Amino acid sequence: MVKTTNTDLRVKSFLVFLLIAISTLPFFKQNFGTYLLLGSVVFTLKELRIHTEILFFVFAAFAIEIFHNFYFDVYDIAVTRQSMIIIISAIFLIYYIKLDFLPIYINILYYFSLISFVFFALYYADSNLVGQFAKAIPSTFIKTTVNYGAEVNQINPIFYNFDSNFLELGRNNGPFWEPTVFATMLVIAQIFNLLLNKTLFNKKGIVFTIALLTTFSTTGFMAYFLLIIFYFLLSNKIRTFTKVIALTAFIALSVGLFTALPFLSDKIDNEIEKTDQEMDKYGGDSRLASAIMDLKEMSEKTTYVLFGKGHGPDRIAGPDKDVLRNCGDTGLLIEWGLLFTIIYLGFLFYSFLELAKFFNVHWAFSIAFTIIILVFGFSEAYFNLPLFYCFLFFGFIIKRYYPYSQPVKSEEEFTELVIS
């Protein structure tokens, strides 16, 4: 059993923040972020032991990238370098952080949520004041991109993202690049909260739930709905009669909200209706259009089905289509191919299965957690982010570093187990 000193815990807290930041915060999602990630590996080199299975994962990814370099006439070697730096750095970091990742992640999202409430409440009290505050933020924290010929600014001084979703639509971004990403991070925090504390509705869980509601994220609501359904079905702390009553009431409420709230049913209907336009005009753009275009592109050759086409910008859309496709599920398939996708999802499910066993919750939660990640993956291109690579290796870490531990029944018990 690996013990964690207070000094180690501070370093690990910094590294978890770094993984979150480089994956999801606009200020860090730039070129220097990759090298910051690589540089952070120096913290991990002491007594580092990597599984053979992990080396197989790295080899598989590297082999596919080398194949792309030789198979396609034009393929940027920088794409391969970037991919391998992210994968290897994520492995080194998560093998150093180990299961301390879960409570640290929960705490970081808890404080992000509390900070977001201040700006969210202030926006609805006086949106002009929030707008003036955003304008006063130094240019260092403004990330500028060009979409369809229009310049778009994201004002993000690390602790909050003052972009159009917030300033124009009143949706809570937190510090992340858009509200759906905040919703994703919150539901992941709730998954870890469930593992550690066997509940979704302790103090932090309630804060996460309120924060999720302020995102007005269709995908976030749907994923959280699934998590709550599985929670009531599988939790051994809830009596059968209570489960039936609670589930019936919750499903009825959810159906009512789905039909009544425009950002749920109307948004989905609108996306379906505009699918052909999004494909013809932009080469993707919406989630559904992106998924259809990815699958269409994948079906062109058997080679693409098996090994994908890589994830450089030249693959997507073509010279007259200025768009980045944003469906992560089909993006994983077309970028890496079916074989690597099976490995990726197999590692992800195995991690959740071992986490469920270690934290003494029903094994079927591993299926639920994997489905929820795929639901989020349909909405955003997450699977090449270092944070999500980390999620693939928890199962092997448990087998290596916690093989003789009894199942953990609470966060307090876990803290006593790993912190000296």
Side-chain angles (χ1 to χ4, degrees):
M1 172 57 60
V2 175
K3 292 288 186 179
T4 302
T5 66
N6 288 329
T7 300
D8 287 339
L9 195 60
R10 285 190 286 270
V11 173
K12 289 179 178 182
S13 297
F14 165 74
L15 294 177
V16 174
F17 170 79
L18 197 62
L19 282 164
I20 293 171
I22 291 169
S23 300
T24 59
L25 272 59
F27 179 77
F28 289 91
K29 277 180 64 64
Q30 303 180 66
N31 290 334
F32 84 91
T34 302
Y35 298 103
L36 186 61
L37 182 73
L38 182 62
S40 66
V41 167
V42 299
F43 291 105
T44 73
L45 299 179
K46 182 182 178 182
E47 299 179 1
L48 186 70
R49 296 180 297 163
I50 303 296
H51 277 80
T52 304
E53 293 90 344
I54 309 305
L55 297 178
F56 165 75
F57 183 91
V58 173
F59 173 78
F62 184 66
I64 290 172
E65 277 299 293
I66 293 299
F67 169 79
H68 291 154
N69 276 274
F70 281 100
Y71 185 84
F72 297 105
D73 293 334
V74 178
Y75 194 85
D76 190 353
I77 190 66
V79 171
T80 300
R81 182 181 67 244
Q82 178 91 351
S83 298
M84 298 313 300
I85 286 175
I86 289 173
I87 292 172
I88 292 171
S89 298
I91 290 170
F92 275 56
L93 292 178
I94 198 60
Y95 260 76
Y96 174 74
I97 300 167
K98 304 181 185 68
L99 294 189
D100 291 333
F101 184 96
L102 277 67
I104 293 171
Y105 179 96
I106 288 173
N107 285 331
I108 290 173
L109 263 293
Y110 178 68
Y111 289 115
F112 276 158
S113 298
L114 295 178
I115 292 169
S116 79
F117 290 157
V118 175
F119 295 104
F120 185 77
L122 187 59
Y123 174 86
Y124 282 95
D126 189 344
S127 59
N128 291 327
L129 181 60
V130 173
Q132 291 302 314
F133 181 88
K135 290 179 181 178
I137 293 172
S139 60
T140 303
F141 299 107
I142 300 176
K143 182 180 180 181
T144 302
T145 56
V146 177
N147 291 331
Y148 311 131
E151 187 176 278
V152 178
N153 291 324
Q154 281 199 324
I155 306 169
N156 193 329
I158 300 176
F159 56 85
Y160 199 80
N161 181 15
F162 298 88
D163 79 341
S164 59
N165 283 294
F166 176 60
L167 296 175
E168 297 175 15
L169 302 178
R171 298 176 63 191
N172 191 355
N173 297 296
F176 307 105
W177 82 69
E178 74 155 10
T180 298
V181 182
F182 192 15
T184 302
M185 304 296 281
L186 288 165
V187 174
I188 291 171
Q190 279 290 63
I191 288 174
F192 293 161
N193 187 34
L194 176 58
L195 288 170
L196 284 167
N197 298 301
K198 316 302 179 287
T199 182
L200 295 176
F201 302 112
N202 54 357
K203 182 181 74 172
K204 290 179 181 176
I206 292 171
V207 168
F208 295 148
T209 301
I210 296 171
L212 178 66
L213 293 175
T214 65
T215 66
F216 303 113
S217 167
T218 307
T219 306
F221 278 43
M222 293 172 64
Y224 200 38
F225 171 81
L226 287 175
L227 182 59
I228 292 175
I229 290 291
F230 278 105
Y231 170 67
F232 278 105
L233 287 175
L234 299 176
S235 176
N236 55 16
K237 296 177 66 175
I238 304 173
R239 293 182 301 172
T240 302
F241 178 76
T242 306
K243 288 181 180 181
V244 172
I245 297 298
L247 279 174
T248 302
F250 181 72
I251 291 172
L253 176 63
S254 298
V255 171
L257 289 174
F258 182 83
T259 55
L261 296 176
F263 69 89
L264 291 175
S265 59
D266 289 354
K267 181 178 178 180
I268 293 173
D269 291 341
N270 185 58
E271 183 161 316
I272 293 173
E273 290 174 3
K274 291 187 175 182
T275 298
D276 290 339
Q277 176 187 345
E278 300 291 350
M279 289 190 294
D280 292 340
K281 185 176 181 181
Y282 301 118
D285 197 51
S286 72
R287 277 83 173 182
L288 184 58
S290 293
I292 293 171
M293 293 295 287
D294 284 339
L295 293 175
K296 181 179 179 181
E297 190 173 356
M298 184 179 177
S299 66
E300 293 173 358
K301 288 185 180 182
T302 304
T303 303
Y304 301 160
V305 174
L306 295 176
F307 304 112
K309 295 183 68 177
H311 43 279
D314 294 336
R315 179 191 69 77
I316 301 171
D320 60 335
K321 302 281 200 285
D322 180 22
V323 68
L324 180 64
R325 295 187 197 156
N326 52 13
C327 178
D329 294 343
T330 55
L332 183 64
L333 280 168
I334 186 58
E335 291 168 1
W336 288 100
L338 181 61
L339 298 178
F340 188 81
T341 298
I342 292 172
I343 295 171
Y344 191 109
L345 297 181
F347 274 50
L348 182 65
F349 172 74
Y350 179 67
S351 281
F352 284 135
L353 181 62
E354 291 301 320
L355 284 169
K357 292 178 182 177
F358 181 77
F359 286 104
N360 198 34
V361 300
H362 198 292
W363 69 268
F365 274 117
S366 58
I367 299 174
F369 298 157
T370 305
I371 291 172
I372 287 167
I373 295 298
L374 289 174
V375 168
F376 280 122
F378 188 83
S379 182
E380 293 287 346
Y382 289 125
F383 295 123
N384 289 321
L385 300 177
L387 180 69
F388 281 77
Y389 279 120
C390 287
F391 297 159
L392 306 184
F393 309 116
F394 285 127
F396 298 100
I397 288 169
I398 289 172
K399 290 294 186 183
R400 168 61 59 82
Y401 293 103
Y402 307 87
Y404 306 112
S405 300
Q406 295 297 317
V408 175
K409 297 180 180 179
S410 69
E411 184 172 358
E412 291 77 15
E413 185 177 323
F414 175 72
T415 302
E416 292 175 2
L417 184 70
V418 301
I419 298 179
S420 59

